[in-house]
Amino acid sequence: MDYELLEAQLRELLSGESSHLANAANFAAFIYHEIPEVSWAGFYYADETGELVLGPFQGRPACTRLPKGRGVCGTAFAQGVTLVVDDVDAFPNHIACDAAARSELVVPLAASKPYGVFDVDSTRLARFSAEDRDGIERLVHVFIHSVAPPPRQT
Ligand code: SME
């Protein structure tokens, strides 16, 4: 996957727009359509209790709220690190929004403080390599630096 090319295309897509919501919606669509074998891509934003609330996404309808510290998303948010899960069925507390999802990559979002996660799912086991992790992290960082954090969601 040519992540350098994707990064250049993404910068073009996000440039000139300061709305967090508009850029988040386009970012989710960009990842979903440009990266092969992605079945779901989207945002969850933390509310004041630490619960993660669904934001802009592409793919099938998903769980609207993920309890604090649970699932791949809640764990990545709590730890502030990107998580790659090769087999979601083997991840303790995985939250199965889509029974067809087999592997998952979650990147935490932070500006001055953590505010959410970006979640990518695939129906293929072990879809996300170290190259994909680094590449998608870079794309998420381009997004984060293109906009201010979102207004409070809930
Ligand atoms: N599987 C995620 C929940 C979100 S959906 O995949 C869209 C998790 O365990 O956090």
PDB file of all heavy atoms in Angstrom, residues 40 44 62 66 70-74 93-95 97 104 119 121, ligand 1:
ATOM      1  N   TRP A  40     -15.282  -1.482   7.846  1.00  0.00           N
ATOM      2  CA  TRP A  40     -15.850  -0.403   8.661  1.00  0.00           C
ATOM      3  C   TRP A  40     -14.722   0.540   9.043  1.00  0.00           C
ATOM      4  O   TRP A  40     -13.616   0.094   9.372  1.00  0.00           O
ATOM      5  CB  TRP A  40     -16.488  -0.982   9.938  1.00  0.00           C
ATOM      6  CG  TRP A  40     -17.434  -0.054  10.636  1.00  0.00           C
ATOM      7  CD1 TRP A  40     -18.782   0.033  10.433  1.00  0.00           C
ATOM      8  CD2 TRP A  40     -17.121   0.918  11.658  1.00  0.00           C
ATOM      9  NE1 TRP A  40     -19.331   1.003  11.249  1.00  0.00           N
ATOM     10  CE2 TRP A  40     -18.339   1.563  12.009  1.00  0.00           C
ATOM     11  CE3 TRP A  40     -15.951   1.313  12.293  1.00  0.00           C
ATOM     12  CZ2 TRP A  40     -18.408   2.568  12.971  1.00  0.00           C
ATOM     13  CZ3 TRP A  40     -16.011   2.318  13.253  1.00  0.00           C
ATOM     14  CH2 TRP A  40     -17.228   2.931  13.583  1.00  0.00           C
ATOM     15  N   TYR A  44     -15.084   7.269  17.241  1.00  0.00           N
ATOM     16  CA  TYR A  44     -15.809   7.306  18.517  1.00  0.00           C
ATOM     17  C   TYR A  44     -15.201   8.424  19.347  1.00  0.00           C
ATOM     18  O   TYR A  44     -13.972   8.553  19.420  1.00  0.00           O
ATOM     19  CB  TYR A  44     -15.669   5.980  19.273  1.00  0.00           C
ATOM     20  CG  TYR A  44     -16.584   4.889  18.766  1.00  0.00           C
ATOM     21  CD1 TYR A  44     -16.148   3.990  17.802  1.00  0.00           C
ATOM     22  CD2 TYR A  44     -17.879   4.756  19.253  1.00  0.00           C
ATOM     23  CE1 TYR A  44     -16.982   2.985  17.321  1.00  0.00           C
ATOM     24  CE2 TYR A  44     -18.720   3.752  18.790  1.00  0.00           C
ATOM     25  CZ  TYR A  44     -18.272   2.875  17.825  1.00  0.00           C
ATOM     26  OH  TYR A  44     -19.110   1.885  17.351  1.00  0.00           O
ATOM     27  N   ALA A  62     -23.436   0.793  13.505  1.00  0.00           N
ATOM     28  CA  ALA A  62     -22.577   0.242  14.562  1.00  0.00           C
ATOM     29  C   ALA A  62     -23.130   0.563  15.950  1.00  0.00           C
ATOM     30  O   ALA A  62     -24.071   1.353  16.090  1.00  0.00           O
ATOM     31  CB  ALA A  62     -21.175   0.817  14.413  1.00  0.00           C
ATOM     32  N   LEU A  66     -19.768   2.668  23.579  1.00  0.00           N
ATOM     33  CA  LEU A  66     -18.878   1.606  24.053  1.00  0.00           C
ATOM     34  C   LEU A  66     -18.487   1.956  25.485  1.00  0.00           C
ATOM     35  O   LEU A  66     -17.935   3.033  25.734  1.00  0.00           O
ATOM     36  CB  LEU A  66     -17.618   1.554  23.171  1.00  0.00           C
ATOM     37  CG  LEU A  66     -17.861   1.462  21.651  1.00  0.00           C
ATOM     38  CD1 LEU A  66     -16.539   1.569  20.899  1.00  0.00           C
ATOM     39  CD2 LEU A  66     -18.568   0.162  21.292  1.00  0.00           C
ATOM     40  N   ARG A  70     -13.696  -0.711  27.851  1.00  0.00           N
ATOM     41  CA  ARG A  70     -14.040  -2.031  27.311  1.00  0.00           C
ATOM     42  C   ARG A  70     -13.755  -2.082  25.815  1.00  0.00           C
ATOM     43  O   ARG A  70     -13.720  -1.067  25.136  1.00  0.00           O
ATOM     44  CB  ARG A  70     -15.534  -2.333  27.546  1.00  0.00           C
ATOM     45  CG  ARG A  70     -15.950  -2.352  28.997  1.00  0.00           C
ATOM     46  CD  ARG A  70     -16.175  -3.740  29.579  1.00  0.00           C
ATOM     47  NE  ARG A  70     -16.328  -4.824  28.625  1.00  0.00           N
ATOM     48  CZ  ARG A  70     -17.499  -5.256  28.162  1.00  0.00           C
ATOM     49  NH1 ARG A  70     -18.624  -4.692  28.528  1.00  0.00           N
ATOM     50  NH2 ARG A  70     -17.536  -6.271  27.332  1.00  0.00           N
ATOM     51  N   GLY A  71     -13.609  -3.322  25.321  1.00  0.00           N
ATOM     52  CA  GLY A  71     -13.418  -3.516  23.887  1.00  0.00           C
ATOM     53  C   GLY A  71     -12.055  -3.026  23.424  1.00  0.00           C
ATOM     54  O   GLY A  71     -11.247  -2.514  24.215  1.00  0.00           O
ATOM     55  N   VAL A  72     -11.817  -3.186  22.138  1.00  0.00           N
ATOM     56  CA  VAL A  72     -10.542  -2.752  21.572  1.00  0.00           C
ATOM     57  C   VAL A  72     -10.462  -1.225  21.621  1.00  0.00           C
ATOM     58  O   VAL A  72      -9.437  -0.641  21.990  1.00  0.00           O
ATOM     59  CB  VAL A  72     -10.391  -3.252  20.112  1.00  0.00           C
ATOM     60  CG1 VAL A  72      -8.995  -2.923  19.590  1.00  0.00           C
ATOM     61  CG2 VAL A  72     -10.651  -4.757  20.012  1.00  0.00           C
ATOM     62  N   CYS A  73     -11.601  -0.573  21.305  1.00  0.00           N
ATOM     63  CA  CYS A  73     -11.610   0.901  21.280  1.00  0.00           C
ATOM     64  C   CYS A  73     -11.372   1.473  22.671  1.00  0.00           C
ATOM     65  O   CYS A  73     -10.544   2.377  22.840  1.00  0.00           O
ATOM     66  CB  CYS A  73     -12.942   1.406  20.732  1.00  0.00           C
ATOM     67  SG  CYS A  73     -13.164   1.048  18.981  1.00  0.00           S
ATOM     68  N   GLY A  74     -12.102   0.966  23.675  1.00  0.00           N
ATOM     69  CA  GLY A  74     -11.970   1.477  25.036  1.00  0.00           C
ATOM     70  C   GLY A  74     -10.577   1.246  25.595  1.00  0.00           C
ATOM     71  O   GLY A  74     -10.040   2.091  26.331  1.00  0.00           O
ATOM     72  N   ASN A  93     -12.986  -9.032  26.102  1.00  0.00           N
ATOM     73  CA  ASN A  93     -13.902  -7.879  26.102  1.00  0.00           C
ATOM     74  C   ASN A  93     -14.150  -7.247  24.746  1.00  0.00           C
ATOM     75  O   ASN A  93     -14.692  -6.147  24.681  1.00  0.00           O
ATOM     76  CB  ASN A  93     -13.416  -6.752  27.021  1.00  0.00           C
ATOM     77  CG  ASN A  93     -13.521  -7.133  28.462  1.00  0.00           C
ATOM     78  OD1 ASN A  93     -14.400  -7.917  28.815  1.00  0.00           O
ATOM     79  ND2 ASN A  93     -12.637  -6.606  29.279  1.00  0.00           N
ATOM     80  N   HIS A  94     -13.718  -7.908  23.677  1.00  0.00           N
ATOM     81  CA  HIS A  94     -14.025  -7.344  22.356  1.00  0.00           C
ATOM     82  C   HIS A  94     -15.538  -7.135  22.237  1.00  0.00           C
ATOM     83  O   HIS A  94     -16.334  -7.967  22.656  1.00  0.00           O
ATOM     84  CB  HIS A  94     -13.553  -8.300  21.255  1.00  0.00           C
ATOM     85  CG  HIS A  94     -14.072  -7.934  19.897  1.00  0.00           C
ATOM     86  ND1 HIS A  94     -15.019  -8.688  19.244  1.00  0.00           N
ATOM     87  CD2 HIS A  94     -13.792  -6.879  19.115  1.00  0.00           C
ATOM     88  CE1 HIS A  94     -15.293  -8.095  18.091  1.00  0.00           C
ATOM     89  NE2 HIS A  94     -14.559  -7.007  17.987  1.00  0.00           N
ATOM     90  N   ILE A  95     -15.908  -5.991  21.661  1.00  0.00           N
ATOM     91  CA  ILE A  95     -17.332  -5.688  21.501  1.00  0.00           C
ATOM     92  C   ILE A  95     -17.699  -5.944  20.040  1.00  0.00           C
ATOM     93  O   ILE A  95     -17.218  -5.245  19.141  1.00  0.00           O
ATOM     94  CB  ILE A  95     -17.635  -4.235  21.909  1.00  0.00           C
ATOM     95  CG1 ILE A  95     -17.252  -4.045  23.387  1.00  0.00           C
ATOM     96  CG2 ILE A  95     -19.092  -3.894  21.661  1.00  0.00           C
ATOM     97  CD1 ILE A  95     -17.229  -2.595  23.836  1.00  0.00           C
ATOM     98  N   CYS A  97     -19.732  -5.440  17.319  1.00  0.00           N
ATOM     99  CA  CYS A  97     -20.804  -4.645  16.692  1.00  0.00           C
ATOM    100  C   CYS A  97     -21.222  -5.319  15.406  1.00  0.00           C
ATOM    101  O   CYS A  97     -22.369  -5.295  15.016  1.00  0.00           O
ATOM    102  CB  CYS A  97     -20.306  -3.248  16.364  1.00  0.00           C
ATOM    103  SG  CYS A  97     -20.045  -2.252  17.814  1.00  0.00           S
ATOM    104  N   GLU A 104      -8.900  -5.893  13.605  1.00  0.00           N
ATOM    105  CA  GLU A 104      -9.244  -4.505  13.926  1.00  0.00           C
ATOM    106  C   GLU A 104      -7.988  -3.713  14.257  1.00  0.00           C
ATOM    107  O   GLU A 104      -7.025  -4.251  14.804  1.00  0.00           O
ATOM    108  CB  GLU A 104     -10.184  -4.554  15.148  1.00  0.00           C
ATOM    109  CG  GLU A 104     -10.708  -3.235  15.612  1.00  0.00           C
ATOM    110  CD  GLU A 104     -11.969  -3.398  16.483  1.00  0.00           C
ATOM    111  OE1 GLU A 104     -12.436  -4.543  16.683  1.00  0.00           O
ATOM    112  OE2 GLU A 104     -12.466  -2.372  16.948  1.00  0.00           O
ATOM    113  N   ASP A 119     -11.356   3.895  14.485  1.00  0.00           N
ATOM    114  CA  ASP A 119     -11.438   2.437  14.472  1.00  0.00           C
ATOM    115  C   ASP A 119     -11.569   1.930  13.039  1.00  0.00           C
ATOM    116  O   ASP A 119     -12.371   2.465  12.268  1.00  0.00           O
ATOM    117  CB  ASP A 119     -12.684   2.039  15.285  1.00  0.00           C
ATOM    118  CG  ASP A 119     -12.897   0.536  15.356  1.00  0.00           C
ATOM    119  OD1 ASP A 119     -11.957  -0.227  15.122  1.00  0.00           O
ATOM    120  OD2 ASP A 119     -14.043   0.143  15.666  1.00  0.00           O
ATOM    121  N   ASP A 121     -12.016  -1.781  10.836  1.00  0.00           N
ATOM    122  CA  ASP A 121     -12.290  -3.222  10.923  1.00  0.00           C
ATOM    123  C   ASP A 121     -12.096  -3.888   9.565  1.00  0.00           C
ATOM    124  O   ASP A 121     -12.270  -3.246   8.529  1.00  0.00           O
ATOM    125  CB  ASP A 121     -13.754  -3.478  11.309  1.00  0.00           C
ATOM    126  CG  ASP A 121     -14.082  -3.091  12.725  1.00  0.00           C
ATOM    127  OD1 ASP A 121     -13.160  -2.812  13.503  1.00  0.00           O
ATOM    128  OD2 ASP A 121     -15.284  -3.074  13.051  1.00  0.00           O
TER     129      ASP A 121
HETATM  130  N1  SME B   1     -15.137  -3.842  17.995  1.00  0.00           N
HETATM  131  C1  SME B   1     -15.023  -2.575  18.665  1.00  0.00           C
HETATM  132  C2  SME B   1     -16.348  -1.884  18.773  1.00  0.00           C
HETATM  133  C3  SME B   1     -16.623  -0.924  17.685  1.00  0.00           C
HETATM  134  S1  SME B   1     -17.024  -1.635  16.211  1.00  0.00           S
HETATM  135  O1  SME B   1     -15.994  -2.542  15.722  1.00  0.00           O
HETATM  136  C4  SME B   1     -17.441  -0.524  15.044  1.00  0.00           C
HETATM  137  C5  SME B   1     -14.402  -2.757  20.041  1.00  0.00           C
HETATM  138  O2  SME B   1     -14.233  -3.884  20.503  1.00  0.00           O
HETATM  139  O3  SME B   1     -14.078  -1.754  20.669  1.00  0.00           O
END
